[in-house]
Amino acid sequence: MHHRTFLQRWVLSHEGALKALGAAMQKAQELGVPECIAVVDDAGHLLAFVRMDGAKFLSIETALNKAVTAVSGRKPTGAVTQDAELKLAIATQGKLINLKGGLPLMQGADIVGGIGVGSGTGDQDLVVAQAGADALAGIPRP
Amino acid sequence: MHHRTFLQRWVLSHEGALKALGAAMQKAQELGVPECIAVVDDAGHLLAFVRMDGAKFLSIETALNKAVTAVSGRKPTGAVTQDAELKLAIATQGKLINLKGGLPLMQGADIVGGIGVGSGTGDQDLVVAQAGADALAGIPRP
Amino acid sequence: MHHRTFLQRWVLSHEGALKALGAAMQKAQELGVPECIAVVDDAGHLLAFVRMDGAKFLSIETALNKAVTAVSGRKPTGAVTQDAELKLAIATQGKLINLKGGLPLMQGADIVGGIGVGSGTGDQDLVVAQAGADALAGIPRP
Amino acid sequence: MHHRTFLQRWVLSHEGALKALGAAMQKAQELGVPECIAVVDDAGHLLAFVRMDGAKFLSIETALNKAVTAVSGRKPTGAVTQDAELKLAIATQGKLINLKGGLPLMQGADIVGGIGVGSGTGDQDLVVAQAGADALAGIPRP
């Protein structure tokens, strides 16, 4: 049966990615915490990014990897068991990072991307990521 | 205007990927040429793969990279100008490979993946890849 | 003694690899768990692979590494001592991964390859890998 | 003389980086060419990025590398001699890329960053990068 050869799904546009980026950046400014913010598509490829004045340059990589981890795992980062987190980090060349601050981006039940935030504390990073994710929630399908 | 926040597109299922793989493998058997055959999704991530008995193990990588190159560039591999091919190969850590044997996989006007074949001559690789791509063409949308 | 200059061994054909892949995929479908499934030869080189719809893309790498780890160590993955697992992971650039879901593939007493499964829980991955390995067991030598 | 212990320099803010990004993106939309656009600081670290709908994912890396090449070399990319370009590319692990589409970003006589654009033709990439650079030119110092 050829009806499963192709599937249909929602993807995040660059406009949507910039919207999430902007909302996250605004939240970081409210908190007074400079952040690196990365938005990736459902395959983990970078869509949009900003490093705010004063954010750590090593957090470029961690923000990106948090976004990748969230979208691959389809859930917020930081929930891998202590037993597995280092094994998975090493096996994926550091791409899987088990620290707070990464969230999947959803369109209804479909995962369309991920947002990852780094440079603040884990809790700050998560709040900023959440603001980005919230900016896409509740947007009705076209 | 939020109507461009999300886009809708077709993606290749694993069933579709295996169908393309099987058709390519059959063509390689007809030709009597063992091949490495890789099918990737629209982001270049591996969906399905086979290395036939006698195919070169170094062609695992080149078959994969041909598939990645075809889907990223949205056209058959081998058409990059001589001036740019090495620069792009080096800049992408070898992912962009300008040799025959990679083809985009289409669903109507949408690109849904790529197929890459390596271990034979460039012309053999291309014929085998084409057989894989043809197996998906003409399948009506569900 | 010239009879030791060369050794004879069994190797896994691509037909055998696809048989193991198919059996593992069927088990994953029964369980309702999308998986990445990799079959490698006795040198750890990829023979066959599938990523099922919905399986994590970061598990492409971990499934492959589980297969490599199983065939190199000649035993199921997950049994390295806690003291050594990270040291070995780092020393092998992440190829040795001590998580459940990798099994050696045998022909009688000979090891002919490995199968690695990732994207589910460790226990699910192992059950799926076992189904793949079982598909090759009990096949009489030609 | 202690007045040479420290130097003062202009640096690009994230606001400036996003301004260049936005101007480049607008030019790409005018041209109807989806692009990857990267803005880096004077150290080559990513400040802002966008991948427009339909841009090649392999161009994420090349856009970034064009920006890095421009800011390190303090001149537009594409001007390295044919004799040296591949040697430099290999020596820098692909970071130095001698293809059109990278420009230094200036504040008066000071270099403050770089912009790199990829996915179109070299000429399109350059026009888009120029639009980004122009958005920062003519801004009076505070």
Side-chain angles (χ1 to χ4, degrees):
Chain A
M1 291 181 298
H2 57 247
H3 67 279
R4 294 189 53 203
T5 302
F6 302 110
L7 309 171
Q8 202 168 27
R9 74 172 172 216
W10 292 101
V11 298
L12 188 59
S13 69
H14 71 256
E15 194 177 308
L18 290 171
K19 185 179 312 202
L21 197 78
M25 193 163 53
Q26 192 180 323
K27 174 61 73 179
Q29 276 160 339
E30 282 172 33
L31 297 178
V33 181
E35 298 274 22
C36 291
I37 306 165
V39 178
V40 301
D41 66 17
D42 66 325
H45 292 315
L46 192 59
L47 272 176
F49 177 86
V50 71
R51 175 163 51 99
M52 296 169 67
D53 303 333
K56 303 164 190 163
F57 63 83
L58 282 185
S59 300
I60 298 171
E61 201 86 350
T62 57
L64 175 58
N65 285 338
K66 286 178 187 177
V68 168
T69 300
V71 73
S72 176
R74 291 158 194 275
K75 57 174 186 247
T77 54
V80 174
T81 64
Q82 214 178 332
D83 182 52
E85 63 183 8
L86 287 184
K87 299 175 196 175
L88 289 169
I90 295 169
T92 59
Q93 311 289 320
K95 284 196 200 73
L96 193 149
I97 179 171
N98 194 33
L99 286 170
K100 280 186 195 173
L103 290 175
L105 298 173
M106 310 300 294
Q107 156 63 337
D110 297 349
I111 192 161
V112 293
I115 183 168
V117 178
S119 198
T121 66
D123 286 334
Q124 288 168 335
D125 294 347
L126 179 55
V127 168
V128 171
Q130 190 65 59
D134 288 349
L136 298 184
I139 294 175
R141 301 189 186 199
Chain B
M1 289 183 300
H2 57 248
H3 67 277
R4 294 189 52 202
T5 303
F6 302 110
L7 309 171
Q8 201 167 29
R9 75 170 171 219
W10 292 101
V11 298
L12 189 58
S13 69
H14 70 255
E15 194 177 306
L18 290 171
K19 185 178 312 202
L21 196 78
M25 193 163 54
Q26 192 181 324
K27 175 60 72 177
Q29 275 160 340
E30 283 171 33
L31 298 177
V33 181
E35 297 274 22
C36 291
I37 306 165
V39 177
V40 301
D41 65 19
D42 66 327
H45 292 315
L46 191 61
L47 272 176
F49 178 87
V50 71
R51 175 163 52 98
M52 295 169 68
D53 304 333
K56 302 164 192 163
F57 62 83
L58 282 185
S59 300
I60 298 171
E61 201 85 350
T62 57
L64 175 58
N65 285 338
K66 286 179 187 176
V68 168
T69 299
V71 72
S72 177
R74 291 160 194 275
K75 58 173 185 249
T77 54
V80 174
T81 64
Q82 214 177 334
D83 182 52
E85 63 182 9
L86 287 185
K87 300 175 195 176
L88 289 169
I90 296 169
T92 59
Q93 311 289 321
K95 284 195 199 74
L96 194 149
I97 178 170
N98 194 33
L99 286 170
K100 279 186 196 174
L103 290 174
L105 298 173
M106 310 301 293
Q107 155 65 335
D110 297 348
I111 190 160
V112 294
I115 184 167
V117 178
S119 196
T121 67
D123 286 334
Q124 289 168 333
D125 294 347
L126 180 55
V127 168
V128 171
Q130 191 63 60
D134 288 348
L136 299 183
I139 294 175
R141 300 189 188 200
Chain C
M1 289 185 298
H2 66 259
H3 69 276
R4 294 192 49 206
T5 301
F6 302 109
L7 309 171
Q8 198 169 31
R9 71 171 174 214
W10 293 102
V11 297
L12 188 59
S13 68
H14 70 254
E15 193 177 310
L18 289 172
K19 185 179 310 204
L21 197 77
M25 193 163 54
Q26 193 180 323
K27 175 59 74 177
Q29 275 160 339
E30 282 171 33
L31 297 177
V33 181
E35 298 274 22
C36 291
I37 306 165
V39 177
V40 301
D41 65 17
D42 66 327
H45 294 315
L46 192 60
L47 271 176
F49 178 87
V50 71
R51 175 163 51 100
M52 296 168 67
D53 303 332
K56 302 167 190 163
F57 63 83
L58 282 184
S59 300
I60 297 171
E61 201 80 20
T62 55
L64 175 59
N65 286 340
K66 285 178 186 177
V68 169
T69 300
V71 73
S72 174
R74 291 161 192 276
K75 58 173 187 247
T77 54
V80 174
T81 65
Q82 215 177 333
D83 183 52
E85 64 183 7
L86 288 185
K87 299 171 193 172
L88 289 167
I90 294 169
T92 59
Q93 311 286 319
K95 285 199 196 69
L96 192 149
I97 180 171
N98 194 33
L99 286 169
K100 281 186 195 173
L103 290 175
L105 297 172
M106 311 300 294
Q107 158 62 338
D110 296 348
I111 191 161
V112 292
I115 183 168
V117 178
S119 197
T121 66
D123 286 334
Q124 289 168 335
D125 294 347
L126 180 55
V127 168
V128 171
Q130 190 65 58
D134 288 349
L136 300 183
I139 295 175
R141 301 189 188 198
Chain D
M1 289 184 297
H2 66 260
H3 69 275
R4 296 193 47 207
T5 303
F6 303 108
L7 309 171
Q8 197 168 32
R9 72 171 174 215
W10 293 103
V11 297
L12 187 59
S13 68
H14 69 256
E15 196 178 305
L18 289 172
K19 186 178 311 203
L21 196 77
M25 194 164 51
Q26 193 180 323
K27 175 60 74 180
Q29 274 160 341
E30 282 170 33
L31 297 178
V33 181
E35 297 274 21
C36 292
I37 306 165
V39 178
V40 302
D41 65 18
D42 67 326
H45 293 315
L46 192 60
L47 271 175
F49 178 87
V50 72
R51 174 162 52 100
M52 294 169 68
D53 304 332
K56 300 167 191 163
F57 62 84
L58 282 184
S59 301
I60 298 172
E61 201 81 19
T62 55
L64 175 58
N65 286 340
K66 286 178 187 176
V68 168
T69 300
V71 73
S72 175
R74 292 161 191 277
K75 59 174 185 251
T77 54
V80 174
T81 64
Q82 215 178 332
D83 183 52
E85 62 183 9
L86 287 185
K87 299 170 193 172
L88 289 168
I90 293 169
T92 59
Q93 310 286 320
K95 285 197 196 70
L96 193 148
I97 179 169
N98 194 34
L99 287 169
K100 280 186 196 173
L103 290 174
L105 298 173
M106 311 300 294
Q107 156 63 339
D110 296 348
I111 191 163
V112 294
I115 184 167
V117 178
S119 195
T121 66
D123 286 334
Q124 289 169 334
D125 295 347
L126 180 55
V127 168
V128 171
Q130 191 64 59
D134 289 348
L136 300 183
I139 295 176
R141 299 189 190 199

